[in-house]
């Protein structure tokens, strides 16, 4: 048997030629350019399964994703294609955040508490605001904009702060407190200089000597900072690393991957659909990820067969993308366009309910799990969730919390329950 022949054969489907080539490749760095629904996650699972069959210990395999849901799907896919559950459980599959937190704890003995809830972060930000105000007053400098005080303003500031860290700003303590560099950095990033000063101050307080707290989003930033300062790599060695949804990589996650690929005999396979950048607010851009795709020493491979929709939709997609695409399914793709008032999302909810009921009565209906409502933002779920509940249609949310359990809703429900002396209003069914 030659090395290019697959040793692992999935139990429930025949891989395409493109999948087999990715499953058995021998290049150290491979980027898989994939279309939507082209079985990226399944293909990465095949890569891991092939490594297991070639006697690579599961502890030397790593799968990285950008969300807990994607990590669960990748692990589930391993079992679905025929990897024994006892073996699949030993493969390390984590989000970048979880991986960084674990390495910080295991390799650097850094177990700083994680603060992710807005009410936990607000006091730190307000203390930093007071410090920035005192410094401005001492220098007789007028603050040019309103610094965040309320929770909504603080949440917006934290988004800006995380974006700056995703771009590696302040990674190696290069940001000085004197005015000139701050003003220059602010102009370069088109950000208010006082917000940039606030970002620097929060970071200063967060890591006075050692890191005293972090958000889970800070974990990769903090780990890369330590790795950049370390004379030798403190990362655990992996033989095979796969990265799902590569289109959402940003400079700080890319720097972490650079550190990992320095280990000898490490093979990295990353897959993404570069038309679907989701985490732009975390610094991911098409231009940046394409620079990684086109970097020296990177082998490009392709997944061009989609299993998400049939030939009609595939043909339309190929026309839009101007890249060859084919369908791996023979299904009908019907599209109905229903217009609603953009300023009033509530008008869309009845259309969603009507479409769900019509589909369930159709000949194609199989399971309710085969239906999905795709939203651009979690706030759009409120009216649709309410309409589904009113109609008695069961649903679940993936990738975000139902509005019923979001903090602001729980506070309001608590007030109403107390006023009406009706504790049942707090019960989630």
């Amino acid at each position: 048997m030659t090395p290019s022949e697959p040793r692992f054969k999935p139990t429930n489907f025949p891989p395409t030629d493109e999948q087999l080539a990715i499953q058995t490749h021998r290049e150290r760095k491979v980027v898989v350019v994939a279309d939507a629904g082209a079985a990226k996650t399944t293909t990465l699972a095949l890569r891991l399964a092939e490594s297991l069959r070639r006697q690579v210990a599961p502890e030397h395999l790593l799968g990285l994703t950008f969300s807990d849901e994607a990590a669960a799907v990748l692990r589930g896919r391993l079992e679905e294609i025929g990897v024994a559950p006892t073996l699949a459980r030993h493969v390390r599959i984590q989000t970048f955040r979880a991986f960084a937190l674990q390495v910080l704890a295991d390799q650097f003995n850094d177990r700083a508490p994680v603060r992710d809830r807005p009410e936990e972060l607000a006091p730190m930000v307000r203390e930093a605001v007071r410090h920035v105000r005192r410094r401005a007053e001492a220098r007789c400098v007028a603050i040019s904009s309103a610094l965040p005080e309320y929770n909504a303003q603080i949440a917006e500031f934290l988004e800006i702060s995380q974006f700056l860290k995703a771009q590696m700003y302040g990674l190696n303590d290069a940001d000085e407190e004197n005015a000139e560099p701050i003003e220059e950095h602010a102009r370069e990033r088109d950000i208010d200089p006082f917000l940039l000063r606030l970002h620097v101050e929060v970071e200063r307080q967060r890591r006075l000597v050692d890191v005293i707290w972090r958000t889970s989003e800070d974990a990769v930033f903090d780990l890369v900072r330590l790795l950049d300062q370390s004379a030798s790599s403190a990362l655990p060695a992996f033989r095979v690393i796969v990265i799902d949804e590569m289109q959402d990589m940003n400079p700080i996650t890319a720097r972490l991957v650079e550190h990992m690929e320095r280990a000898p005999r490490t093979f990295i396979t990353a897959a993404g659909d570069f038309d679907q950048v989701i985490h732009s607010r975390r610094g991911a851009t098409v231009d940046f990820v394409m620079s990684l795709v086109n970097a020296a020493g990177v082998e490009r491979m392709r997944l061009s067969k989609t299993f998400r929709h049939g030939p009609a939709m595939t043909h339309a997609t190929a026309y839009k993308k101007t890249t060859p695409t084919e369908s791996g399914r023979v299904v009908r793709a019907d599209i109905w366009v229903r217009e609603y008032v953009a300023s009033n999302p509530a008008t869309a909810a009845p259309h969603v309910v009507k479409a769900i009921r019509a589909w369930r009565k159709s000949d194609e209906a199989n399971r309710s799990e085969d239906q999905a409502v795709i939203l651009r933002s979690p706030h759009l779920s409120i009216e649709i969730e309410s309409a589904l509940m009113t109609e008695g249609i069961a649903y679940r949310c993936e990738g975000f919390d139902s509005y019923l359990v979001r903090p602001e809703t729980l506070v309001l429900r608590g007030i109403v329950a107390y006023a009406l002396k009706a504790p049942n209003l707090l019960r989630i069914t």
Side-chain angles (χ1 to χ4, degrees), residues 237-389:
F238 296 96
R239 286 288 308 281
V240 176
I241 300 172
V242 302
I243 301 170
D244 203 358
E245 306 294 355
M246 181 196 171
Q247 73 271 8
D248 284 319
M249 289 190 70
N250 55 34
I252 197 69
T253 51
R255 177 71 71 88
L256 177 56
V257 173
E258 284 180 20
H259 279 286
M260 290 191 287
E261 70 184 20
R262 291 173 186 169
R265 300 175 64 201
T266 296
F267 293 79
I268 298 179
T269 304
D273 175 2
F274 303 107
D275 292 320
Q276 296 193 58
V277 174
I278 297 173
H279 296 291
S280 58
R281 298 179 76 176
R282 291 290 181 266
T285 65
V286 172
D287 290 340
F288 175 72
V289 294
M290 290 310 296
S291 72
L292 302 177
V293 173
N294 297 320
V298 174
E299 180 76 12
R300 288 182 64 166
M301 304 182 79
R302 224 180 116 63
L303 284 172
S304 60
K305 180 178 285 190
T306 178
F307 297 90
R308 183 168 296 171
H309 39 248
M313 183 70 77
T314 301
H315 178 74
T317 302
Y319 178 80
K320 182 71 174 177
K321 290 165 61 75
T322 66
T323 55
T325 307
E326 62 176 307
S327 175
R329 302 183 65 189
V330 181
V331 295
R332 192 177 78 232
D334 295 327
I335 301 175
W336 295 278
V337 177
R338 297 288 184 269
E339 295 184 358
Y340 63 93
V341 181
S343 61
N344 184 12
T347 59
H351 294 307
V352 172
V353 171
K354 185 177 179 180
I356 290 173
R357 292 214 176 278
W359 185 85
R360 289 188 175 182
K361 294 177 181 178
S362 68
D363 294 336
E364 291 84 3
N366 186 7
R367 303 172 303 165
S368 60
E369 289 82 1
D370 291 335
Q371 295 175 296
V373 179
I374 302 173
L375 306 175
R376 289 186 177 273
S377 175
H379 81 272
L380 298 173
S381 79
I382 297 174
E383 299 293 345
I384 293 175
E385 285 189 69
S386 296
L388 292 174
M389 285 187 287

Side-chain angles (χ1 to χ4, degrees), residues 55-106:
Q55 306 305 311
V56 179
E59 293 80 9
H60 293 159
L61 304 178
L62 174 66
L64 290 173
T65 70
F66 288 90
S67 69
D68 294 326
E69 295 81 11
V73 169
L74 180 54
R75 185 175 300 283
R77 202 75 86 233
L78 269 179
E79 298 184 20
E80 288 174 16
I81 65 175
V83 176
T86 53
L87 195 58
R89 278 196 293 270
H90 286 86
V91 178
R92 192 163 169 179
I93 298 176
Q94 296 176 296
T95 63
F96 276 91
R97 298 188 302 272
F99 173 77
L101 285 169
Q102 186 170 347
V103 173
L104 285 168
D106 294 346

Side-chain angles (χ1 to χ4, degrees), residues 26-287:
R26 290 180 286 176
E27 291 75 20
R28 282 201 63 201
K29 293 186 285 184
V30 168
V31 169
V32 179
V33 180
D35 293 319
K40 296 184 297 295
T41 305
T42 299
T43 305
L44 293 177
L46 287 170
R47 178 69 176 158
L48 294 173
E50 181 72 15
S51 302
L52 290 169
R53 189 58 55 88
R54 291 179 182 271
Q55 306 305 311
V56 179
E59 293 80 9
H60 293 159
L61 304 178
L62 174 66
L64 290 173
T65 70
F66 288 90
S67 69
D68 294 326
E69 295 81 11
V73 169
L74 180 54
R75 185 175 300 283
R77 202 75 86 233
L78 269 179
E79 298 184 20
E80 288 174 16
I81 65 175
V83 176
T86 53
L87 195 58
R89 278 196 293 270
H90 286 86
V91 178
R92 192 163 169 179
I93 298 176
Q94 296 176 296
T95 63
F96 276 91
R97 298 188 302 272
F99 173 77
L101 285 169
Q102 186 170 347
V103 173
L104 285 168
D106 294 346
Q107 309 298 125
F108 292 94
N109 196 31
D110 180 348
R111 295 177 173 82
V114 174
R115 310 286 190 221
D116 276 336
R117 295 166 56 197
E119 54 266 34
E120 294 178 308
L121 298 170
M124 288 80 160
V125 176
R126 292 190 181 103
E127 175 58 31
V129 166
R130 286 191 286 270
H131 181 87
V132 171
R133 288 188 187 281
R134 286 195 296 268
R135 286 181 63 88
E137 291 169 0
R139 298 199 306 265
C140 297
V141 174
I143 295 178
S144 60
S145 64
L147 293 176
E149 297 180 7
Y150 305 110
N151 285 353
Q153 296 171 321
I154 289 172
E156 185 177 347
F157 161 74
L158 291 171
E159 288 284 341
I160 295 172
S161 182
Q162 289 302 336
F163 179 84
L164 290 169
K165 281 182 272 194
Q167 298 295 319
M168 301 195 297
Y169 177 73
L171 181 63
N172 295 311
D173 296 324
D175 308 314
E176 300 293 339
E177 275 289 332
N178 57 74
E180 187 175 340
I182 288 287
E183 295 289 341
E184 182 180 342
H185 289 313
R187 283 194 300 271
E188 290 175 356
R189 291 164 174 81
D190 191 25
I191 182 176
D192 185 279
F194 281 97
L195 286 181
L196 195 57
R197 287 188 181 281
L198 180 59
H199 164 77
V200 171
E201 177 59 24
V202 171
E203 281 299 287
R204 186 190 71 80
Q205 294 186 12
R206 189 173 73 84
R207 40 189 172 96
L208 289 169
V209 179
D210 297 321
V211 174
I212 57 177
W213 63 270
R214 64 169 54 93
T215 70
S216 57
E217 294 284 351
D218 291 328
V220 176
F221 180 87
D222 290 344
L223 176 58
V224 169
R225 180 170 165 270
L226 290 171
L227 293 173
D228 279 358
Q229 297 170 356
S230 179
S232 58
S233 178
L235 287 170
F238 296 96
R239 286 288 308 281
V240 176
I241 300 172
V242 302
I243 301 170
D244 203 358
E245 306 294 355
M246 181 196 171
Q247 73 271 8
D248 284 319
M249 289 190 70
N250 55 34
I252 197 69
T253 51
R255 177 71 71 88
L256 177 56
V257 173
E258 284 180 20
H259 279 286
M260 290 191 287
E261 70 184 20
R262 291 173 186 169
R265 300 175 64 201
T266 296
F267 293 79
I268 298 179
T269 304
D273 175 2
F274 303 107
D275 292 320
Q276 296 193 58
V277 174
I278 297 173
H279 296 291
S280 58
R281 298 179 76 176
R282 291 290 181 266
T285 65
V286 172
D287 290 340

